[in-house]
Amino acid sequence: MGTALVYHEDMTATRLLWDDPECEIECPERLTAALDGLRQRGLEERCLCLSACEASEEELGLVHSPEYIALVQKTQTLDKEELHALSKQYNAVYFHPDTFHCARLAAGAALQLVDAVLTGAVHNGLALVRPPGHHSQRAAANGFCVFNNVALAAKHAKQKYGLQRILIVDWDVHHGQGIQYIFNDDPSVLYFSWHRYEHGSFWPFLPESDADAVGQGQGQGFTVNLPWNQAYPESHCEDWRVESHSSFDPELVLVSAGFDSAIGDPEGQMQATPECFAHLTQLLQVLAGGRICAVLEGGYHLESLAQSVCMMVQTLLGDPTPPLLGLMVPCQSALESIQSVQTAQTPYWTSLQQNVAPVLSSSTHSPEERSLRLLGESPTCAVAEDSLSPLLDQLCLRPAPPICTAVASTVPGAALCLPPGVLHQEGSVLREETEAWARLHKSRFQDEDLATLGKILCLLDGIMDGQIRNAIATTTALATAATLDVLIQRCLARRAQRVLCVALGQLDRPLDLADDGRILWLNIRGKDAAIQSMFHFSTPLPQTTGGFLSLILGLVLPLAYGFQPDMVLMALGPAHGLQNAQAALLAAMLRSPVGGRILAVVEEESIRLLARSLAQALHGETPPSLGPFSKATPEEIQALMFLKARLEARWKLLQVAAPPP
Ligand code: X5A
Ligand code: ZN
């Protein structure tokens, strides 16, 4: 398994032969810059590199008309004047004698990638291609695009592998109207696009790019457009919808991976940092068993493009995500856009018919906070580095930890059915040190718990030193709370600035803990939501899948992104009530905002059931299904609304959840 990289040097052949300021940005150096970036960072050699082959005429016919294919073929023999004349018949397009060959390679690369993923040769992959595809239509080139690579990939996946649900996520800064038209009435392909729109004054200037375009006939609700209307918006990093996970449940995710939404891009003029693309990728990895095929679309700032491509490939390969910097505050215009999508889509999606949190989160940087540190020429470089904690700062400079997931268990290893690659923790901190920590909590530690505590402290150190990515530890039911208490103290002693504790079941916040913003304590337990402070609150564990998803996507994840922790302690205490798939999803979702640094502490009674999927989720595998979608109960919604209403003044990312009717 692994990550495929599909490419062919010939795709650098097509280029603009005359003067055209609109088209000149689509240049061959885009591909070489992206590839050089991957080589320099040693990412190319970690991929399975496939050499692209041309798509056949029959394959192109899955989307395009025979006449159009013949017309593009004919451009091979046209002279410059004829090429120029033909180009002018389309919107923002240029032809070159090599266009046909390149465009067939680009389409072929997308199909090969689908083959590689659906035959199981690889987990996921990226096709680095030119020309791009998402504006191209059945019988028209458009916006630098000749054949619609991603639409062809979706048709191919349906036809050759019988797939019934394909999600296309288009994060290019432009609306991929070509893909939208092709699948407009097709409920088997959910097309999600966000794009710069400015109420229709941004290219391609179409009313059907707005949020109220939802698809037609059988396809209603399977087109989801999220238009950004503010002229120079900040980055919108994560934002998508529960239903693709809960009700749509795709078998394959195709990404129209345009990087013209990235910082520095002359065309997009947005502010998404390269790290945003790592986070976007990781969030998608919980879908479709991780089967992600990404195909390059736009991206015109060479350095920004290269960095963003690297971030994506790194994440596809399973490396931890680097932190997102900057203020996590969504701008008003973005909130309005999200609201308008919700309004338009609500008739079609059960999960949206409730008030809370159909949206993951939307993070934006405030205008003063524009972080342009990637660009040498940028004047405002100073920004966000100092918002990094010293611990994170240290960790960011290092390569991915050598050990992925480690386990220290009071239960025999064989009983846990752990996946391969999980390491059993043998080491321990010194006996005297363990005893000193335990002495602070004497009443709650039995003698036999001490050996376990020593190992767990060692795991924590491993994570904080960047030796171990994440870990699972078990404790006796009685010792869970005390262990968590010690772990928090040790995190603080070791210069962690922000520790997120997600505590399930009967675990009380340690009494002597200062409420100074260094610890965010969320207890999931009991019957009612309650708020002790902006950093200390509790909410019941929902019993429906809808309620659980709302909790994770509408509360936990926005809080975690807003808090920007350098460590997450996920504790499953007595009577935590969490099922296997729920624990796995919680762990999988918590990885992104903390760069994977999670220590899960589980009381030993339930570890036999949970260990395997928890370890898999921490490892980066897709969590098992939560089961059929069931609507959240009114009480579950009420609890979440109660918290949202009181917390969103401090935790601004909670604002992306829909307001009460
Ligand atoms: C693939 C892509 C953009 C065309 C912009 C024309 N096309 N102004 O990013
Ligand atoms: Zn674009």
Side-chain angles (χ1 to χ4, degrees):
M1 296 303 268
T3 297
L5 186 65
V6 196
Y7 177 72
H8 197 294
E9 206 189 306
D10 283 4
M11 283 184 282
T12 58
T14 179
R15 63 191 171 85
L16 182 64
L17 296 175
W18 48 84
D19 247 13
D20 181 345
E22 188 176 21
C23 288
E24 69 191 7
I25 55 177
E26 205 294 287
C27 61
E29 291 73 28
R30 299 177 56 233
L31 283 191
T32 42
L35 202 65
D36 283 349
L38 291 170
R39 288 195 176 133
Q40 277 162 23
R41 286 171 181 74
L43 294 167
E44 188 204 25
E45 59 186 10
R46 294 172 59 193
C47 293
L48 176 68
C49 293
L50 302 174
S51 175
C53 303
E54 293 187 333
S56 68
E57 251 165 73
E58 193 188 333
E59 286 166 335
L60 295 175
L62 288 169
V63 162
H64 299 285
S65 71
E67 300 75 24
Y68 175 66
I69 298 168
L71 180 121
V72 180
Q73 179 163 24
K74 213 186 64 191
T75 62
Q76 289 176 290
T77 57
L78 300 184
D79 65 28
K80 190 170 141 184
E81 276 62 47
E82 293 167 323
L83 288 168
H84 196 170
L86 179 66
S87 301
K88 279 197 289 197
Q89 293 181 23
Y90 298 102
N91 183 352
V93 169
Y94 68 85
F95 287 102
H96 177 279
D98 289 324
T99 293
F100 185 60
H101 177 50
C102 291
R104 280 179 66 171
L105 282 175
L111 304 185
Q112 269 168 276
L113 181 53
V114 166
D115 287 333
V117 167
L118 293 182
T119 56
V122 290
H123 249 114
N124 56 36
L126 171 67
L128 277 181
V129 303
R130 289 177 66 236
H134 70 154
H135 299 303
S136 145
Q137 295 146 41
R138 178 172 157 79
N142 183 284
F144 317 152
C145 300
V146 177
F147 297 133
N148 200 313
N149 309 318
V150 166
L152 285 163
K155 290 271 192 187
H156 179 74
K158 284 177 61 169
Q159 191 210 38
K160 184 162 168 191
Y161 299 91
L163 295 201
Q164 293 175 334
R165 292 179 312 281
I166 298 169
L167 171 66
I168 299 178
V169 173
D170 186 338
W171 70 47
D172 187 281
V173 82
H174 303 98
H175 179 226
Q177 85 279 31
I179 302 181
Q180 176 169 311
Y181 299 156
I182 291 159
F183 299 109
N184 206 30
D185 59 3
D186 185 345
S188 66
V189 178
L190 197 169
Y191 175 64
F192 172 91
S193 172
W194 71 33
H195 37 268
R196 186 169 162 191
Y197 186 57
E198 290 162 57
H199 303 287
S201 61
F202 189 70
W203 195 93
F205 318 109
L206 300 167
E208 62 265 35
S209 306
D210 209 346
D212 60 0
V214 296
Q216 272 175 349
Q218 293 286 307
Q220 282 184 45
F222 295 95
T223 293
V224 181
N225 284 331
L226 175 46
W228 303 124
N229 284 317
Q230 188 173 298
Y232 293 89
E234 293 82 53
S235 67
H236 304 275
C237 287
E238 315 78 37
D239 181 286
W240 41 72
R241 324 195 57 87
V242 163
E243 64 270 15
S244 56
H245 184 53
S246 64
S247 341
F248 188 67
D249 193 17
E251 299 156 307
L252 174 69
V253 178
L254 301 175
V255 182
S256 265
F259 299 96
D260 41 13
S261 45
I263 191 164
D265 193 280
E267 179 68 26
Q269 300 182 305
M270 307 286 275
Q271 302 284 335
T273 58
E275 290 78 11
C276 288
F277 297 98
H279 287 256
L280 290 171
T281 305
Q282 186 154 87
L283 288 169
L284 288 178
Q285 282 174 322
V286 302
L287 299 172
R291 287 182 291 276
I292 300 178
C293 298
V295 183
L296 181 66
E297 301 280 2
Y300 307 103
H301 185 288
L302 300 183
E303 170 68 8
S304 178
L305 169 67
Q307 288 198 28
S308 302
V309 164
C310 288
M311 282 293 162
M312 179 177 201
V313 169
Q314 205 175 290
T315 310
L316 289 174
L317 283 163
D319 290 357
T321 46
L324 287 180
L325 305 175
L327 282 186
M328 294 291 181
V329 180
C331 70
Q332 193 53 36
S333 166
L335 290 172
E336 285 165 17
S337 294
I338 292 166
Q339 184 56 53
S340 66
V341 186
Q342 263 160 15
T343 306
Q345 297 289 339
T346 293
Y348 311 104
W349 295 98
T350 333
S351 50
L352 294 179
Q353 285 154 18
Q354 304 178 310
N355 294 321
V356 175
V359 181
L360 272 189
S361 83
S362 160
S363 80
T364 55
H365 301 242
S366 75
E368 320 78 76
E369 191 71 17
R370 282 186 183 144
S371 155
L372 291 160
R373 91 205 118 72
L374 89 91
L375 305 169
E377 68 263 31
S378 141
T380 48
C381 289
V383 198
E385 249 81 348
D386 41 41
S387 79
L388 265 190
S389 75
L391 173 70
L392 265 190
D393 215 5
Q394 225 172 50
L395 289 172
C396 284
L397 298 171
R398 302 188 186 182
I403 299 164
C404 188
T405 302
V407 169
S409 179
T410 49
V411 176
L416 299 180
C417 302
L418 292 165
V422 174
L423 185 102
H424 284 271
Q425 178 66 24
E426 300 302 339
S428 171
V429 302
L430 294 176
R431 179 81 191 181
E432 302 84 72
E433 202 179 340
T434 311
E435 279 172 354
W437 283 101
R439 226 172 288 131
L440 294 169
H441 309 274
K442 193 155 191 110
S443 55
R444 292 179 287 168
F445 277 107
Q446 309 288 319
D447 260 2
E448 58 271 28
D449 292 330
L450 276 184
T452 317
L453 183 63
K455 283 188 182 183
I456 299 176
L457 289 175
C458 197
L459 285 180
L460 182 71
D461 288 357
I463 297 173
M464 297 186 91
D465 294 337
Q467 292 300 313
I468 302 173
R469 197 171 304 174
N470 49 47
I472 302 173
T474 68
T475 59
T476 58
L478 271 178
T480 315
T483 304
L484 190 55
D485 192 359
V486 169
L487 288 171
I488 292 171
Q489 298 303 340
R490 192 162 172 105
C491 284
L492 295 177
R494 296 218 38 191
R495 297 208 300 160
Q497 289 203 333
R498 288 177 298 274
V499 181
L500 170 62
C501 293
V502 182
L504 287 105
Q506 293 161 13
L507 293 169
D508 294 322
R509 186 171 190 266
L511 285 173
D512 52 349
L513 213 58
D515 201 26
D516 59 359
R518 295 173 75 193
I519 311 295
L520 178 58
W521 176 276
L522 169 62
N523 200 178
I524 301 173
R525 74 186 295 183
K527 289 237 173 304
D528 298 300
I531 299 178
Q532 280 74 38
S533 80
M534 282 294 139
F535 292 91
H536 179 191
F537 32 90
S538 64
T539 189
L541 177 67
Q543 299 303 310
T544 60
T545 51
F548 186 74
L549 283 166
S550 289
L551 169 67
I552 302 297
L553 302 176
L555 189 76
V556 178
L557 204 62
L559 283 171
Y561 267 106
F563 186 55
Q564 299 175 295
D566 29 29
M567 183 75 198
V568 167
L569 300 173
M570 170 177 159
L572 307 191
H576 62 74
L578 217 56
Q579 287 157 15
N580 217 4
Q582 294 175 322
L585 184 65
L586 177 61
M589 285 301 188
L590 284 170
R591 286 168 72 223
S592 302
V594 72
R597 287 180 303 281
I598 301 177
L599 175 53
V601 182
V602 185
E603 60 82 25
E604 63 187 13
E605 305 283 286
S606 59
I607 192 64
R608 282 185 178 81
L609 286 172
L610 295 176
R612 186 175 173 84
S613 45
L614 195 56
Q616 284 172 332
L618 288 173
H619 226 93
E621 286 174 47
T622 305
S625 162
L626 292 176
F629 184 81
S630 55
K631 263 179 122 164
T633 65
E635 294 74 33
E636 289 169 355
I637 295 297
Q638 212 186 341
L640 292 172
M641 291 309 295
F642 171 86
L643 291 178
K644 173 178 144 60
R646 284 157 187 79
L647 296 174
E648 72 181 13
R650 169 66 181 78
W651 302 105
K652 305 268 193 229
L653 289 181
L654 294 175
Q655 293 173 353
V656 296

